[in-house]
Every structure is written in C-alpha cells, then in structure tokens.
Amino acid sequence: MATVVATKTRLTRRLMLLTLLLVRGERERALRVGAALLEGSLADLHWMTREDIQQAWEIFRQFSDKGWSFTDCSSRVVMANLGITSAYAFDEHFRQFGIGPVLPLDT
C-alpha cells in the first residue's frame, strides 16, 4: 500500500485525480476513489506535524540551489521519518535526495 503525504498541497495533488475522473464523466468512480483514499483502503495517509513542516521549510531554505519545491522537501521529511527508501517521480529531485531507487527514472 502506498503512503500519501498529506500536506494541503500534497493532498490536493492526490485529489486532482478525482477532478480528472469527474471531468471525464466518471463521477461514481471519483466518489469511490475519494472514499477509498480518505478511509485509508487505497493508501495510508500521513498527516504532517508542525515539526515536519518546520523541518521541510528549513530544507527548502537550505537547499535553494537545488530547485526543490516545498512539496519535494515535505516529501523528503516524511520519507525520512517513515523509513521510505524509494520514490516514484518524474524529475531528478528525489534522486538528489539520495534515498534509493526513483521510479521510473531508475528502471
């Protein structure tokens, strides 16, 4: 099961899938996906603490040369806290974290 980092921004990105389904005329499917996400049967939601957000902000400030978004930095903090050692991403930022395999880039 996947872990979804649930900052407001990250959760919004996940819920964009629901909007995409809705736009495609799949309201019932969007309702099922949304319910599964929020009840935890689709993914484990991890709500960031104030300390997580502060740590992400410090990383964001410290590594301004990397081009990492605040969402990237938030993901890095949560991944470290939860012991997650691989990621799925379409840019080089997660590889720069040095966390382990980044799919599909490392496949």
Side-chain angles (χ1 to χ4, degrees):
M1 185 172 297
T3 298
V4 175
V5 179
T7 63
K8 184 176 181 181
T9 302
R10 182 63 71 165
L11 185 58
T12 300
R13 285 184 172 193
R14 298 299 184 247
L15 294 178
M16 283 174 39
L17 169 63
L18 303 180
T19 302
L20 177 61
L21 292 172
L22 185 61
V23 168
R24 291 184 174 178
E26 299 187 51
R27 181 173 179 76
E28 290 303 315
R29 188 171 176 201
L31 290 170
R32 287 193 308 273
V33 170
L37 178 63
L38 294 173
E39 74 186 17
S41 63
L42 181 63
D44 294 326
L45 290 177
H46 176 82
W47 298 98
M48 292 183 71
T49 65
R50 181 178 295 274
E51 292 78 22
D52 292 338
I53 293 168
Q54 184 62 41
Q55 187 177 3
W57 178 250
E58 292 304 319
I59 291 168
F60 182 71
R61 286 184 43 211
Q62 181 180 359
F63 292 95
S64 59
D65 63 316
K66 299 290 186 190
W68 299 344
S69 68
F70 184 74
T71 299
D72 291 336
C73 297
S74 298
S75 296
R76 182 179 186 211
V77 168
V78 172
M79 291 173 74
N81 290 347
L82 297 179
I84 296 172
T85 59
S86 62
Y88 194 89
F90 293 104
D91 60 32
E92 72 283 354
H93 299 157
F94 284 81
R95 184 178 291 124
Q96 291 172 347
F97 293 164
I99 59 156
V102 178
L103 305 171
L105 299 174
D106 291 341
T107 58

